[in-house]
Amino acid sequence: MNEVFYMVYMEGEGAPTYKHTTKESAIKEAERLSLLFGKKTYVLKAGLCIEPAPKTIKTQLVTPQAEDDLPF
């Protein structure tokens, strides 16, 4: 399922973390931050999510050789 959300990024600052559910909410926050800190802000829209496929874990037993530097 693709979830659309918006985030606010302020130039020169860390990565955004809060997900706004509406464009209007993100714009309002971007304006507030821009006025408060005197920096450019950007409203970013995400609409596509890529998730990793589940992996099958396989266990393979390995017998150490005499020349290995393993302590076990």
Side-chain angles (χ1 to χ4, degrees), residues 8 20 22-32 41 43:
V8 177
H20 294 268
T22 66
K23 184 177 176 180
E24 293 75 22
S25 171
I27 291 171
K28 188 174 180 180
E29 179 65 358
E31 289 171 343
R32 184 186 76 81
T41 55
V43 174

Side-chain angles (χ1 to χ4, degrees), residues 27-42:
I27 291 171
K28 188 174 180 180
E29 179 65 358
E31 289 171 343
R32 184 186 76 81
L33 291 172
S34 184
L35 288 172
L36 183 64
F37 295 102
K39 294 185 177 183
K40 279 186 184 180
T41 55
Y42 301 87

Side-chain angles (χ1 to χ4, degrees), residues 2-71:
N2 292 330
E3 176 187 354
V4 176
F5 61 89
Y6 302 86
M7 299 182 97
V8 177
Y9 169 72
M10 187 174 1
E11 196 165 273
E13 299 300 323
T17 57
Y18 185 80
K19 293 180 179 181
H20 294 268
T21 55
T22 66
K23 184 177 176 180
E24 293 75 22
S25 171
I27 291 171
K28 188 174 180 180
E29 179 65 358
E31 289 171 343
R32 184 186 76 81
L33 291 172
S34 184
L35 288 172
L36 183 64
F37 295 102
K39 294 185 177 183
K40 279 186 184 180
T41 55
Y42 301 87
V43 174
L44 312 174
K45 178 182 177 182
L48 182 62
C49 175
I50 308 298
E51 296 181 348
K55 293 184 178 180
T56 302
I57 299 174
K58 294 181 181 180
T59 304
Q60 181 180 2
L61 297 176
V62 178
T63 305
Q65 302 300 316
E67 62 272 2
D68 288 342
D69 290 356
L70 300 175

